[in-house]
Amino acid sequence: MPKPRKRGMMSQVLGRMASGDCLISDRHAESMLVGLLNEAEQVTDPTAAWQEVRAEVMASWGFADGPEGPAKPFIYQDGVAVIPAHGILVNRFNYCWGFVTGYDFIRRQMNLAAADPDVTLIVFDHDTPGGEAAGCDELAREIYAIEKPTMALVNTLSCSGGYWLAAPCNRIVCAPSGSVGSIGVYILHMNIGKMLAEWGIEAEFVKNGDYKTSGNMYEALSEKDRAYLQAMVDERAVEFHRAVAEFRGIEESVVKDTQARVMRPTEALALGLIDAAENPTTAVASFVAEYGNDEPPTDDSEENVTMAEMSSEDRAAVQAETKARIKGIVTSDEAKGREGLAEHLAYNTDMSVEEAVATLAVSPKAEDPAPAEEKPEEKPEEKPEEKPEEKPEDDKANKPSHFENAMDQGNHPDVGPDGKGDKNGGDDVSANVARILGAQSAATGRKLEKA
């Protein structure tokens, strides 16, 4: 009989993330966190859920189990152990369900692979926006201490807490279409006090200690609470920056200057945050060949960019060149009126300034909303001229107008075409409609009759 999962497990996780500092890319957080609880509620058998994810990962890697089933407690083939880091990353959680992975799950799988003599390479398969801050640095340092070669394969996202776990690996390879970064921290504060007040509910704390209720969702943040939470965020951010600089062997200032930006592989490569932008199908084989002195396979269908040994001066020069390229695109004359497209070309493509400017030049500018047309002045006092009845080109003229249909839906005793009406509510709908259609006829010259 399958072991039932613990009810409320994801509620506890979300509660911790709501009250603590988070390591998650903000651009991905909202959509993923909203669905986290609903998806988790559909999981009734944790082990079966992991087996489904395992099968999907095996298929994506082209691995296959033997006739007797899995040979290892982790995904394995030909000396390579694969450990998924997918979805939201959370502390004190021992499963991987695709949309959520626990630090304890990664730790357990990693330790099993590290102790297995058949394993020659441990690959962490990353597709995650990050997650919980608590427990992340501890796991990262355990990865850093592994004696076997490790590799973080980003296919196609490794941000914030995810990148913190990728940084200690011997090699980081990002798919050419992937993204990394978001090296920063935040605390989310929501104030639902006004909403509760509208429902007649008032929350009040009786507390001991000035900071006991700092950041609660029933009150606005005081300046003291804001400073307190900001100090917590800043402290965790310093830990993050230092860890990445240590793991990657780059200057801490380079990490800090990214300002938690999510980056494409080209920029990340220039800053030393990844080692290569390479097709995932050849990345592992290339790494194995590097350690085994074999000739690596080639794949001409994808452009592979490897990280050469660069001095800090060279890396600074590449960083300056990248910034100059972005500035050249977004501040060009052709970017005016096309700001959204300019930012896309600057941050999400590898176009040169000249190529981007040429693209902007032939692209349409964003149009300002058209001014509202002035309605012709109504003259209800004048009677429309009688014109010989003409046969309409189609049956549209014989149908009631949208305006007439709307007026037929109810009584409007105080509204008439000239702004006058029966103050006592004596006018019926037909009289109102007749006056309104008369006003329209006077203004447009078109004879309208109520069907």
Side-chain angles (χ1 to χ4, degrees):
M1 180 178 180
K3 180 182 178 180
R5 65 173 177 81
K6 292 167 61 179
R7 291 284 175 183
M9 188 184 301
M10 288 299 106
S11 297
Q12 297 173 22
V13 169
L14 292 177
R16 294 200 305 265
M17 296 184 71
S19 60
D21 40 349
C22 297
L23 299 169
I24 187 169
S25 170
D26 185 57
R27 71 168 64 174
H28 303 95
E30 183 176 352
S31 59
M32 298 193 75
L33 287 173
V34 166
L36 180 62
L37 186 59
N38 290 333
E39 291 192 66
E41 286 300 315
Q42 299 177 20
V43 176
T44 57
D45 186 342
T47 303
W50 155 238
Q51 292 302 324
E52 290 181 11
V53 173
R54 183 184 184 280
E56 293 173 359
V57 176
M58 289 275 290
S60 69
W61 279 78
F63 290 1
D65 290 326
E68 297 181 358
K72 307 284 187 184
F74 44 82
I75 297 173
Y76 170 84
Q77 187 163 303
D78 298 331
V80 178
V82 178
I83 301 173
H86 294 177
I88 305 294
L89 304 177
V90 298
N91 194 30
R92 300 180 64 84
F93 184 66
N94 201 32
Y95 298 100
C96 173
W97 294 342
F99 58 88
V100 59
T101 300
Y103 294 147
D104 287 348
F105 169 85
I106 296 174
R107 176 180 290 108
R108 179 170 56 86
Q109 294 260 302
M110 175 186 69
N111 289 336
L112 289 170
D116 193 316
D118 295 335
V119 174
T120 58
L121 171 65
I122 300 175
V123 178
F124 297 92
D125 184 344
H126 279 241
D127 190 13
T128 172
E132 209 171 347
C136 187
D137 183 54
E138 293 84 348
L139 178 58
R141 297 201 172 275
E142 292 181 42
I143 295 173
Y144 193 54
I146 294 178
E147 296 182 357
K148 290 184 177 181
T150 57
M151 174 181 180
L153 181 60
V154 181
N155 185 20
T156 54
L157 183 68
S158 183
C159 286
S160 204
Y163 183 79
W164 199 330
L165 299 184
C169 293
N170 297 114
R171 187 176 181 85
I172 303 177
V173 178
C174 181
S177 60
S179 300
V180 299
S182 189
I183 306 173
V185 187
Y186 73 83
I187 290 178
L188 173 66
H189 174 260
M190 291 189 297
N191 180 8
I192 65 172
K194 291 183 179 179
M195 179 181 71
L196 294 180
E198 292 178 356
W199 295 347
I201 301 173
E202 181 179 353
E204 182 177 358
F205 291 98
V206 178
K207 63 182 180 180
N208 177 271
D210 291 343
Y211 300 101
K212 182 62 178 177
T213 60
S214 293
N216 75 82
M217 67 173 61
Y218 306 105
E219 300 173 323
L221 282 178
S222 67
E223 291 303 317
K224 181 187 294 186
D225 286 343
R226 189 183 305 277
Y228 167 62
L229 296 178
Q230 185 65 57
M232 292 179 61
V233 168
D234 292 343
E235 181 180 1
R236 182 80 72 174
V238 169
E239 294 174 0
F240 197 174
H241 298 156
R242 288 178 179 171
V244 170
E246 176 189 352
F247 296 151
R248 296 296 300 164
I250 59 180
E251 297 294 330
E252 187 177 336
S253 60
V254 173
V255 182
K256 184 177 180 180
D257 287 346
T258 64
Q259 290 296 304
R261 191 166 63 251
V262 176
M263 289 167 278
R264 295 294 306 282
T266 303
E267 184 180 2
L269 189 64
L271 298 179
L273 297 175
I274 64 174
D275 298 291
E278 188 173 355
N279 185 345
T281 59
T282 62
V284 174
S286 298
F287 192 43
V288 171
E290 179 181 332
Y291 271 79
N293 295 321
D294 296 328
E295 188 68 24
T298 59
D299 184 354
D300 296 332
S301 65
E302 295 284 351
E303 180 182 0
N304 298 333
V305 184
T306 57
M307 181 66 176
E309 292 295 330
M310 299 178 68
S311 64
S312 58
E313 292 78 9
D314 291 338
R315 189 172 288 118
V318 174
Q319 184 179 7
E321 182 180 345
T322 301
K323 290 182 178 180
R325 170 188 164 276
I326 294 173
K327 182 178 180 181
I329 296 174
V330 299
T331 61
S332 64
D333 292 338
E334 288 77 4
K336 296 178 179 177
R338 308 177 181 94
E339 288 79 4
L341 177 59
E343 290 183 4
H344 170 73
L345 297 178
Y347 292 105
N348 297 323
T349 75
D350 298 327
M351 283 188 176
S352 66
V353 175
E354 293 74 18
E355 292 170 337
V357 168
T359 300
L360 290 168
V362 297
S363 301
K365 293 185 176 181
E367 297 181 359
D368 296 328
E373 295 183 3
E374 295 184 1
K375 295 182 179 179
E377 183 179 356
E378 297 181 354
K379 299 179 180 180
E381 294 81 3
E382 299 180 5
K383 294 183 178 180
E385 296 182 4
E386 293 290 339
K387 293 184 179 181
E389 185 174 351
E390 298 179 0
K391 184 178 180 180
E393 295 181 2
D394 52 36
D395 62 350
K396 290 183 179 180
N398 296 324
K399 295 181 179 180
S401 67
H402 292 298
F403 188 66
E404 181 179 353
N405 287 333
M407 292 301 295
D408 279 340
Q409 298 304 313
N411 294 324
H412 305 275
D414 295 334
V415 181
D418 55 358
K420 300 177 180 179
D422 185 353
K423 298 295 183 180
N424 297 321
D427 289 350
D428 59 18
V429 173
S430 298
N432 282 332
V433 172
R435 288 200 301 272
I436 292 169
L437 295 180
Q440 283 191 311
S441 297
T444 63
R446 180 184 176 189
K447 184 175 181 180
L448 298 173
E449 297 180 353
K450 187 176 186 303

